Amino acid sequence: MDEGPFEGYRKAIWLALLAVTLWSTTGCESPPDASRPAKKAGLEVISPPEDLPQLDVAVREQFQALWQALESSRDSEVKARADAWGALGRWFDVYHYAESAVLCYRNAHRLAPDEPRWPYHLGVLAAASGDFEDAEKYLTNAVSSAPDEPTPKVRLGDLALEQGDLYRAEKLYASVLEELPQNPGGLLGIGRVALARGDGRGAIEPLSRLVKLQPEATQARYSLALALRAVGDTARADEHLAAVPADNLDQITLDLGSPWDLELNRFDRGARTLTRRGIRAFRRGEHGQAAVLLGAAVAAEPEGAEKRVNYALALRRTGHLRQAREELQAAIRLAEPGSEMLFKAHFEMGRLLSSQQTRAAIEHLNIALELDRRSVPARLELGRIYQLLDRPEDALSQYAAVRDGEQPRPEVSFWHAAMLTALGRYADAIRALEEDSNRLGDARAPALLLARLLSAAPDERLRDVQRARRLLPGSTRGETTGDQADANVSEETVAEATDVLFAETAAMVAAAEGNFDRAITWQRAAVSALGAGGPRSRAAAHIARRRQALYESRQAFPAPWVVDERLVRLPVVPPSAQAPSEVTP
Amino acid sequence: MSNTDQTPSKTRPLLAPLLLLLAACGVWTSACAPAERSRPDEPIEPPPKAVPVVPPAQRFLDVSAEVGLDFVHDNGMSGERYFVEPVGSGGAMVDLDDDGDLDLVLIQGRPLSPSSEAGSESEEVVRGSRIYRNDLEPDGHGRLRPKLIDITEQSGFRADGYGMGIATGDFDNDGRIDLYVTNFGPNQLWRNVSGDGRIALENVTADAGNGVDDARWSTSAAFTDFDGDGFLDLVVINYVDFRLETHRPCRSAGGRPDYCGPQSYDGEPDRLLWNRGDGTFVDITGIAGLLDEPSSGLGVTAADFDDDGRMDLYVANDLRRNFLWQNLGPGADGPPRFENVALERGAAVSMLGRAQASMGVVAGDLDSDGDEDLFMTHLSADTNTLYANDGRGFFIDRSTGSGLGPASLEATGFGVALVDIELDGRLDVVVANGAVKVIESLAKAGDPYPLKQPNQLFHNRGQGNFVELGAAAGEAFGRLEVSRGIAVGDVDNDGRLDLLLTNNHGPARLLLAAPFDNDGAWIGLRLLTAERGRDALGARVDIVLRNGTVLRRRVATDGGYLSAGDPRLAVGLGHDPEIAEVRVRWPGGGEEIFTNLAPGSYHNLVAGQGRSAASAPYDSTAEPTAGSTRSPE
């Protein structure tokens, strides 16, 4: 093991020490020392997180501000000190440093024992860690301090429910609903108690009320579906199940109406939250929304190179290419020398410029490769650009580098051999494909390219049409056991395989066999699909038509692959499914 | 396996002295644990602290060092935080040389660099997965003790990919149990060709049919006969579309670099391979209906959940809805068809409607009501989940109040297994834990691998009510490790199920179940098909005691997490162990009754050698049609 991922913690500690040293030697205000007020008051002593230097700038600044506030509160009134500890506790809570959060909340609770928020948060954290005894203690304390606030009682009910004490849970939920009949936590809880008793009918009423109040809340919908199913109303149960988004990220949590939870959830998480939401939107294909969120993240942390790159990616998807380029330029400027983010910024810049400014794109991709020689995406992108520039030798060198240093991958094997073919190195291409097939197994695209070479290589000694035929997916149909299931599997294989690459290869093999009618049929199918493929398929359609013309003049051996040929995955209607009139030329 | 868990580490209280005292005083019995404590008219007061009822002793003993188990897992950590690193690998307990005792197979990772993913040679040390032959020997006290010898090199077994999981089953019906190894990379099928007391395996992947060498990131797998044609089919569970070259940086909530979660990558569909009966498989994933649901599977178990005689399939997915593939029977062309009914059957998501980060899964009769319940493990701050079967294949989440849920909140569970620690006929639960996100206190203490958590043993107090035993269950349950898989089996043939525990980037451990004077009786059963004596995976077995108790078990090697177990059944009978009969429903149909089976030893029950159940209603005086008795060797 060179360096485990947790090695970072040790580094972080050193970085933190270094930061403290620099802070004190540069004349800045001395770093806050939370242990001083803590020790003074006999409180829990806490320390900054070990990985603080690794956190987002905005999150770090947030921490530093809270730490300073705590330091400043030393001589303040007790309530102000408690609030400072509580606020710092919320920071730890939000960023998943549960143990430090507990210590801060405990200090806050000790300083202000009548304040209900701190025992409430302590209770929630204890419950989440399975310490129900502490949870009970703290939540009961919160109820005592804020008898009119329903949420601690609901949480106590949840605790009782988790432990199977249904009577106690019911009593707690009922006491909440007595005061607030529309309380969502109470309604959900009372419904869950009924469900736990197997009383679907008893659960339907409160849960139906809850669904009316919060129709989008997943818990409400799902619980009601369970209740309806329990009484045999499967149709209505299915309706509610259908309303529950499959992806957790798309689900909406029940709003308990707790001001303390709201306070925690609204705690400013800086650019990280915006980024996370932006990435979710991006992955859902909502690129406009992603751009808004990721742009806001940049505004929150303008010095963050990663934020800039993310924003640029969203801008690119929304067609704002100039702005995307500006963000990437900023990212390149901001990223630390030699960093992964600098690589990412150059790589994305290369991709962005690849269609318009190929020379600049190549420069950026080469810089990216200097930063990470092993980067497969950068080499593949470079290879693609060289192909666009009609530079097959350069493309070949990139694919060869990937092929030599990387696990076998079908696309690399394919393009490497395709460039060899385009350069007229047919024997090398065949050899490379055969080598790769030993490692790759039955990868489809390389196998089809090999079939092309074996049927259409200009050098007759390289041709082996029978083998080429066997390489076509589905060609062994009926040759094995002949049982029905086997035939079905092969039919599916053929259906899946029938795209432009397959169709043109099948045509090439048929032509090599002298079956020009068949070749023309397949080639026409490919041309037809490419014709419907729009401008991106134009070059490929041109090549396909040339081949069709060749077959129509009964000439068998087109170039197996030409330098500007593209791998088009448009589906093709197989000849057997076409009208008879189209089959016969 | 998501990286979103939050694990406040707590110091586990030392329960043993308290438990001893309580047990001695007889304060609690297993029958006196009410499900609902307070009454409606009582004031709201904090409930009394739960007092566990436990057998007061170290239930499992770590004998790894003394029996020769020296396997140490390498997860290939490179500092890059590749997603595959925290997932771990599994192991198997399997009698490869058919000498009557269980041998061990441990699955190994390997250094992770772009050049190593496919199993190519590199300069880094590649240890490979290992096979340990078990030569049971007398321990001098009238018992047998495992003696493990690493025979990997001699066996021909060379599994040097980045190994994940293992499934065991005799796919070619030659009476020898074969191995299927899943990898982060192409999977391998190893045919068992052992003979003359020598373990030998040959890699038949290339000739076994398309898809057997699934090159995606596969995790768990399971052999079972889905269509009842007498040949074991194979289901392979795939995780997500992660490859080293698609590795992306992920971050914690605060922005620190961290491992990614499953939602950072697209899910993959699982694969179903139908056994042709000639030593090859055909990929029927699409035909069977499994192709259109890509997800992030980690665990799998096959069982007949709706009791219709056909083996269904349950898949535990990580942060995506779990699958319950109901076996609809064969299509017109032969292969079986499946439909995912998890959501409408109540087994897809938690009570709150959210997909949980499911890791390991087991099926078994946890509440002793005669059907297959489900239990699965999850992240910390989320409960492990018990889905109770209503007997028709509909499930209710019974985690709440079962004792299995709350106690799991503090740990991230992976491996899971069902054992019976007191041989009382009730299934207890073992969970292997280990976080996937840094535990703050361990990091502060300078732990170089701050993901360690204690494992857990949950004692079944009856009627689906469990209590966690803590460190009282043995050293292995007080130790902090990053555990992943558990294979379960009776490695010393004493009727008690032992554990093979795998740790991520750490040593594997063999944990022997210790005998105690107050343990119940037991019976061991090996269910074999008529021809060539293949383990009848999927057979349903009802052990009917004279006192009317019926213990339902299933023959299986699957379940858990990345691991495979003993196909034999070792069943605790309690203290009233007289067996009236054993009823067997064989895969593919046919029910038979076996009688005159004495407790305290293993018996082979062979299909066709019992009395037909259809023509023989229960009769305790019927003439014996005993299975052959096989003494532990």
Side-chain angles (χ1 to χ4, degrees):
Chain A
M1 186 173 73
D2 298 334
E3 180 194 39
F6 309 110
E7 193 65 21
Y9 278 87
R10 290 186 203 155
K11 282 186 183 166
I13 293 169
W14 284 108
L15 282 169
L17 289 171
L18 180 65
V20 166
T21 310
L22 287 173
W23 205 334
S24 57
T25 55
T26 52
C28 298
E29 189 179 355
S30 62
D33 178 3
S35 64
R36 270 187 283 159
K39 281 174 192 161
K40 190 175 167 186
L43 302 173
E44 306 271 12
V45 177
I46 64 153
S47 52
E50 280 88 350
D51 56 357
L52 187 63
Q54 294 176 281
L55 303 188
D56 284 349
V57 173
V59 176
R60 281 204 307 262
E61 288 173 354
Q62 213 175 12
F63 177 84
Q64 282 155 357
L66 292 165
W67 193 265
Q68 280 290 355
L70 181 64
E71 174 78 0
S72 308
S73 74
R74 262 188 303 175
D75 302 321
S76 306
E77 289 185 1
V78 167
K79 185 181 178 308
R81 288 166 58 203
D83 284 348
W85 275 111
L88 190 61
R90 281 198 297 253
W91 186 93
F92 280 117
D93 198 349
V94 161
Y95 295 116
H96 303 321
Y97 301 94
E99 289 162 37
S100 295
V102 166
L103 296 179
C104 290
Y105 286 146
R106 271 194 208 153
N107 286 348
H109 183 42
R110 181 164 181 166
L111 290 166
D114 294 333
E115 164 62 54
R117 286 178 296 171
W118 315 130
Y120 173 75
H121 290 310
L122 283 166
V124 171
L125 281 173
S129 70
D131 185 350
F132 284 11
E133 197 176 357
D134 265 9
E136 185 82 35
K137 182 181 75 181
Y138 285 121
L139 289 171
T140 303
N141 188 303
V143 169
S144 303
S145 301
D148 295 334
E149 174 54 46
T151 314
K153 276 187 204 164
V154 169
R155 298 276 190 187
L156 273 173
D158 295 345
L159 274 187
L161 183 59
E162 285 292 333
Q163 295 170 94
D165 192 345
L166 304 184
Y167 285 116
R168 182 174 149 76
E170 184 179 42
K171 199 170 178 67
L172 284 156
Y173 294 133
S175 73
V176 170
L177 291 174
E178 203 175 297
E179 298 292 322
L180 301 161
Q182 305 296 321
N183 180 272
L187 288 170
L188 180 66
I190 212 86
R192 288 184 65 198
V193 168
L195 277 172
R197 287 193 174 121
D199 177 13
R201 207 163 297 282
I204 288 174
E205 193 275 331
L207 294 172
S208 297
R209 276 164 58 197
L210 182 61
V211 166
K212 276 188 187 159
L213 286 171
Q214 296 192 30
E216 293 188 329
T218 294
Q219 292 112 307
R221 288 279 191 167
Y222 186 70
S223 298
L224 181 55
L226 291 181
L228 290 165
R229 195 192 74 186
V231 300
D233 190 348
T234 50
R236 284 178 62 210
D238 288 348
E239 278 177 30
H240 288 286
L241 286 178
V244 175
D247 193 328
N248 286 357
L249 297 177
D250 298 329
Q251 294 185 352
I252 292 176
T253 308
L254 190 74
D255 180 5
L256 292 175
S258 157
W260 305 331
D261 288 338
L262 201 63
E263 191 179 46
L264 187 69
N265 292 334
R266 281 185 179 165
F267 197 76
D268 181 17
R269 301 188 194 195
R272 174 58 38 190
T273 296
L274 292 164
T275 300
R276 194 160 48 236
R277 288 172 57 202
I279 288 172
R280 283 179 191 170
F282 191 92
R283 287 183 186 153
R284 286 198 299 266
E286 298 164 3
H287 298 123
Q289 175 70 1
V292 169
L293 290 163
L294 295 170
V298 168
E301 188 184 328
E303 300 302 305
E306 186 180 79
K307 306 291 176 293
R308 301 276 185 170
V309 172
N310 284 336
Y311 186 32
L313 292 175
L315 288 168
R316 183 184 175 199
R317 291 296 184 100
T318 53
H320 295 85
L321 303 185
R322 188 182 56 77
Q323 264 183 284
R325 196 169 66 239
E326 287 169 4
E327 292 301 327
L328 288 173
Q329 280 164 347
I332 289 168
R333 199 174 61 246
L334 292 166
E336 289 177 26
S339 67
E340 187 180 330
M341 200 43 58
L342 186 60
F343 161 81
K344 178 95 174 158
H346 279 293
F347 172 66
E348 293 299 343
M349 185 70 102
R351 292 206 321 156
L352 181 72
L353 301 177
S354 64
S355 57
Q356 303 290 333
Q357 301 176 44
T358 47
R359 182 174 297 179
I362 289 169
E363 280 174 17
H364 281 288
L365 288 167
N366 276 321
I367 295 171
L369 274 175
E370 280 172 21
L371 290 162
D372 182 0
R373 304 297 305 171
R374 297 186 321 189
S375 171
V376 174
R379 288 205 183 277
L380 293 181
E381 187 64 25
L382 260 181
R384 198 183 67 81
I385 293 173
Y386 285 135
Q387 277 183 250
L388 284 171
L389 295 175
D390 198 8
R391 290 166 59 180
E393 294 91 348
D394 292 327
L396 177 63
S397 71
Q398 296 302 329
Y399 296 137
V402 175
R403 181 173 173 268
D404 291 344
E406 181 56 33
Q407 75 154 113
R409 288 173 54 185
E411 65 268 38
V412 175
S413 170
F414 178 88
W415 285 114
H416 173 254
M419 288 305 100
L420 286 169
T421 309
L423 288 165
R425 294 166 58 183
Y426 302 107
D428 289 342
I430 290 172
R431 196 176 311 115
L433 287 167
E434 285 172 340
E435 282 172 12
D436 290 345
S437 79
N438 292 331
R439 299 192 292 165
L440 282 168
D442 296 333
R444 182 175 166 278
L448 290 175
L449 182 57
L450 182 57
R452 287 184 177 207
L453 283 156
L454 293 172
S455 52
D459 184 345
E460 194 175 340
R461 289 168 300 177
L462 298 174
R463 284 188 221 137
D464 182 345
V465 183
Q466 284 190 341
R467 190 175 159 214
R469 163 66 60 191
R470 287 197 299 274
L471 285 166
L472 292 177
S475 63
T476 56
R477 185 156 35 120
E479 291 175 13
T480 54
T481 62
D483 71 32
Q484 187 61 38
D486 207 13
N488 276 347
V489 172
S490 294
E491 287 287 3
E492 288 208 345
T493 309
V494 170
E496 285 170 15
T498 313
D499 59 7
V500 169
L501 178 67
F502 177 88
E504 289 206 83
T505 307
M508 230 171 263
V509 174
E513 289 172 333
N515 187 348
F516 287 101
D517 291 348
R518 187 78 178 157
I520 291 164
T521 305
W522 274 114
Q523 197 61 33
R524 280 185 175 176
V527 169
S528 169
L530 288 165
R536 292 171 70 97
S537 309
R538 197 167 293 148
H542 182 64
I543 297 165
R545 276 195 293 273
R546 283 208 313 259
R547 286 184 179 135
Q548 183 182 325
L550 204 63
Y551 301 143
E552 284 169 354
S553 61
R554 295 309 196 247
Q555 294 183 54
F557 306 115
W561 193 266
V562 291
V563 67
D564 54 344
E565 193 163 356
R566 300 283 170 268
L567 193 53
V568 180
R569 298 196 185 279
L570 289 169
V572 166
V573 180
S576 56
Q578 291 177 330
S581 60
E582 292 181 52
V583 175
T584 309
Chain B
M1 204 280 320
S2 156
N3 77 335
T4 54
D5 68 341
Q6 179 186 346
T7 312
S9 172
K10 293 168 50 198
T11 306
R12 188 180 296 273
L14 291 173
L15 292 173
L18 174 64
L19 303 177
L20 275 166
L21 179 64
L22 289 168
C25 296
V27 175
W28 286 75
T29 68
S30 60
C32 72
E36 302 187 9
R37 279 191 294 275
S38 55
R39 309 302 307 175
D41 53 350
E42 288 174 347
I44 300 169
E45 289 176 357
K49 187 172 171 58
V51 182
V53 180
V54 295
Q58 300 273 311
R59 300 305 309 201
F60 288 94
L61 303 172
D62 182 355
V63 297
S64 314
E66 49 203 279
V67 303
L69 180 59
D70 57 359
F71 180 88
V72 179
H73 180 256
D74 171 17
N75 73 1
M77 275 195 297
S78 60
E80 297 287 336
R81 292 184 183 79
Y82 288 127
F83 191 20
V84 71
E85 292 170 8
V87 175
S89 307
M93 285 182 162
V94 51
D95 183 2
L96 288 169
D97 47 4
D98 200 29
D99 64 349
D101 58 41
L102 294 171
D103 310 299
L104 307 186
V105 185
L106 272 307
I107 303 302
Q108 183 60 284
R110 61 174 288 146
L112 279 169
S113 60
S115 62
S116 69
E117 188 177 349
S120 60
E121 295 299 332
S122 73
E123 292 175 4
E124 293 153 313
V125 176
V126 177
R127 299 186 178 101
S129 299
R130 313 302 295 174
I131 294 179
Y132 290 86
R133 190 183 67 218
N134 182 7
D135 294 341
L136 273 184
E137 57 184 17
D139 69 350
H141 303 288
R143 295 168 48 79
L144 296 168
R145 190 169 194 75
K147 179 183 170 192
L148 301 178
I149 299 163
D150 185 339
I151 50 87
T152 312
E153 308 307 331
Q154 304 95 295
S155 71
F157 181 65
R158 185 176 160 84
D160 290 346
Y162 194 108
M164 283 280 130
I166 181 165
T168 57
D170 177 9
F171 80 95
D172 54 356
N173 282 0
D174 65 353
R176 291 175 289 218
I177 303 176
D178 309 297
L179 309 179
Y180 185 72
V181 178
T182 62
N183 286 311
F184 173 58
N187 300 336
Q188 293 178 323
L189 179 65
W190 290 89
R191 183 165 176 261
N192 187 345
V193 292
S194 302
D196 301 327
R198 194 178 72 88
I199 292 176
L201 293 139
E202 64 179 20
N203 186 347
V204 294
T205 315
D207 301 323
N210 284 341
V212 174
D213 63 345
D214 199 327
R216 293 170 292 177
W217 180 359
S218 302
T219 52
S220 291
F223 282 105
T224 202
D225 183 1
F226 285 112
D227 54 351
D229 65 352
F231 293 95
L232 292 177
D233 309 304
L234 177 61
V235 60
V236 183
I237 304 305
N238 291 311
Y239 196 40
V240 296
D241 182 23
F242 165 77
R243 286 164 281 137
L244 295 187
E245 64 272 20
T246 60
H247 167 69
R248 57 169 61 127
C250 288
R251 294 179 183 278
S252 71
R256 171 177 47 77
D258 204 348
Y259 285 110
C260 292
Q263 288 169 325
S264 296
Y265 298 93
D266 292 334
E268 289 279 16
D270 303 320
R271 191 181 287 267
L272 186 55
L273 298 162
W274 191 44
N275 194 329
R276 283 177 162 130
D278 61 356
T280 67
F281 293 86
V282 61
D283 184 352
I284 60 164
T285 313
I287 295 172
L290 273 65
L291 189 64
D292 295 332
E293 300 223 31
S295 192
S296 44
L298 286 173
V300 63
T301 184
D304 180 7
F305 294 106
D306 51 6
D307 201 29
D308 65 353
R310 290 191 284 257
M311 295 299 284
D312 310 303
L313 192 60
Y314 190 84
V315 182
N317 293 316
D318 189 1
L319 278 177
R320 292 181 172 97
R321 289 176 175 178
N322 295 333
F323 296 148
L324 172 55
W325 292 105
Q326 184 188 15
N327 188 336
L328 305 174
D333 49 0
R337 302 298 200 266
F338 290 83
E339 181 184 8
N340 180 17
V341 295
L343 192 62
E344 52 267 40
R345 296 284 177 107
V349 293
S350 75
M351 275 296 283
L352 300 178
R354 291 176 68 79
Q356 296 177 284
S358 297
M359 266 60 111
V361 61
V362 283
D365 189 7
L366 285 152
D367 50 7
S368 306
D369 65 350
D371 53 34
E372 301 276 6
D373 308 305
L374 285 159
F375 178 72
M376 62 212 68
T377 54
H378 295 127
L379 290 173
S380 59
D382 193 1
T383 61
N384 293 340
T385 300
L386 169 64
Y387 287 117
N389 193 337
D390 71 352
R392 299 172 299 128
F394 286 82
F395 293 86
I396 286 284
D397 183 341
R398 292 272 184 233
S399 314
T400 289
S402 69
L404 288 169
S408 65
L409 284 165
E410 62 182 316
T412 292
F414 278 86
V416 55
L418 302 180
V419 295
D420 181 354
I421 53 173
E422 296 165 294
L423 302 175
D424 62 356
R426 292 192 290 247
L427 294 172
D428 309 299
V429 179
V430 186
V431 177
N433 292 317
V436 292
K437 180 177 167 59
V438 169
I439 296 171
E440 193 186 352
S441 60
L442 295 181
K444 277 187 176 169
D447 190 319
Y449 195 35
L451 304 177
K452 301 181 180 93
Q453 293 175 322
N455 298 320
Q456 292 175 304
L457 175 57
F458 293 88
H459 176 231
N460 188 340
R461 301 192 292 191
Q463 298 177 324
N465 192 289
F466 294 79
V467 64
E468 200 233 323
L469 299 190
E475 185 189 354
F477 294 87
R479 188 186 272 147
L480 286 176
E481 291 186 314
V482 188
S483 296
R484 290 296 183 254
I486 305 174
V488 65
D490 182 5
V491 79
D492 53 359
N493 286 340
D494 67 349
R496 293 170 184 79
L497 290 174
D498 311 301
L499 307 173
L500 174 62
L501 179 74
T502 67
N503 286 310
N504 191 23
H505 214 61
R509 300 194 184 276
L510 182 62
L511 308 176
L512 284 193
F516 287 91
D517 290 342
N518 60 346
D519 285 349
W522 63 276
I523 187 168
L525 301 172
R526 189 172 185 195
L527 283 290
L528 297 168
T529 57
E531 292 178 12
R532 311 299 294 268
R534 168 176 66 74
D535 287 293
L537 302 185
R540 189 187 75 188
V541 181
D542 286 342
I543 296 121
V544 184
L545 304 184
R546 292 272 180 209
N547 64 14
T549 303
V550 180
L551 304 168
R552 175 161 289 186
R553 299 291 185 267
R554 182 182 81 262
V555 178
T557 60
D558 64 15
Y561 178 76
L562 308 176
S563 298
D566 189 350
R568 299 175 301 173
L569 298 174
V571 185
L573 302 173
H575 292 289
D576 188 9
E578 203 175 344
I579 297 169
E581 63 183 30
V582 172
R583 288 175 171 254
V584 178
R585 185 169 77 183
W586 298 99
E591 288 196 34
E592 289 183 313
I593 296 171
F594 295 84
T595 52
N596 265 21
L597 298 168
S601 62
Y602 278 94
H603 304 266
N604 285 345
L605 306 185
V606 181
Q609 294 185 6
R611 189 157 41 89
S612 167
S615 60
Y618 168 68
D619 179 2
S620 61
T621 63
E623 285 297 306
T625 50
S628 61
T629 300
R630 183 172 185 171
S631 299
E633 292 159 37

